[in-house]
Amino acid sequence: VTPQAQPGNPRPRLFRLPADEALINRMGFNNHGAQALATRLGELRQRPIPLGISIGKAKVTPPEQAVSDYVAALHLLFDHADYIAINVSSPNTPGLRTLHDRPQLDSLLTALQHENHLLATSRGRKPRPRHTAAKVIKQQDPPAKPYRDEPIPDHHRKARKKKNERP
């Protein structure tokens, strides 16, 4: 989810490739915005399972203002998630992949950890562990079972080897 609503890519944007046993997702991070999600989640009485929320920058946000988008989304959704995943790999979001560069990723993680610390302590909670870009980059495979406050590796490709079909 992004801080502000965005429509995503034009339809069609999800393609099944049965012969390749594959799906192609070109959704474009469509969502109603972090505030709308926070409102809906606030109306739930209880969640039967842990809830993770993936946050990212809006398509219209310039890359140099990306950190403020992530911090805004974290601030709005902090009380509603069991964990928050930081999405820095949406191929349809202009400039997002610049956050893969070590200095930008360090800056983003530092800002989010600072906000996390402020939010946690203001609610009487213990702040979650700090992560550096080095730890996120080093984590290549998901752990055998997910642990809270650990990086969630994910891979988005801009291209694929075409086998049998194309969308």
Side-chain angles (χ1 to χ4, degrees):
V1 69
T2 55
Q4 54 187 306
Q6 57 185 31
N9 291 327
R11 292 177 187 222
R13 53 192 181 200
L14 184 63
F15 306 91
R16 289 182 188 268
L17 306 176
D20 290 338
E21 297 180 348
L23 287 174
I24 295 177
N25 169 352
R26 294 185 183 150
M27 301 301 261
F29 225 158
N30 53 310
N31 68 93
H32 295 271
Q35 183 59 61
L37 179 59
T39 300
R40 283 195 302 270
L41 292 173
E43 294 168 355
L44 293 176
R45 295 193 180 208
Q46 136 182 30
R47 292 189 313 264
I49 59 173
L51 175 68
I53 301 173
S54 175
I55 62 173
K57 87 170 197 67
K59 192 172 188 174
V60 297
T61 302
E64 61 274 6
Q65 295 175 9
V67 170
S68 63
D69 264 19
Y70 287 93
V71 169
L74 175 63
H75 187 80
L76 287 166
L77 298 167
F78 181 85
D79 292 320
H80 303 288
D82 295 294
Y83 69 91
I84 294 183
I86 312 306
N87 186 332
V88 293
S89 189
S90 174
N92 296 302
T93 305
L96 187 62
R97 288 183 179 236
T98 62
L99 291 174
H100 290 194
D101 298 336
R102 183 79 175 260
Q104 285 80 4
L105 189 56
D106 270 335
S107 176
L108 173 62
L109 292 175
T110 298
L112 289 170
Q113 287 295 344
H114 177 72
E115 185 68 15
N116 175 60
H117 181 80
L118 293 175
L119 291 166
T121 55
S122 73
R123 288 154 174 81
R125 298 184 200 161
K126 181 179 176 185
R128 297 176 183 141
R130 296 191 176 273
H131 293 293
T132 63
K135 183 168 183 172
V136 173
I137 291 166
K138 194 173 10 171
Q139 177 85 23
Q140 303 238 341
D141 297 313
K145 64 179 191 175
Y147 292 96
R148 190 173 179 163
D149 306 320
E150 289 295 320
I152 303 168
D154 193 6
H155 302 283
H156 293 85
R157 294 192 175 114
K158 288 187 165 191
R160 68 178 181 91
K161 292 180 182 177
K162 295 179 179 158
K163 290 183 180 177
N164 302 307
E165 298 180 39
R166 55 183 213 167

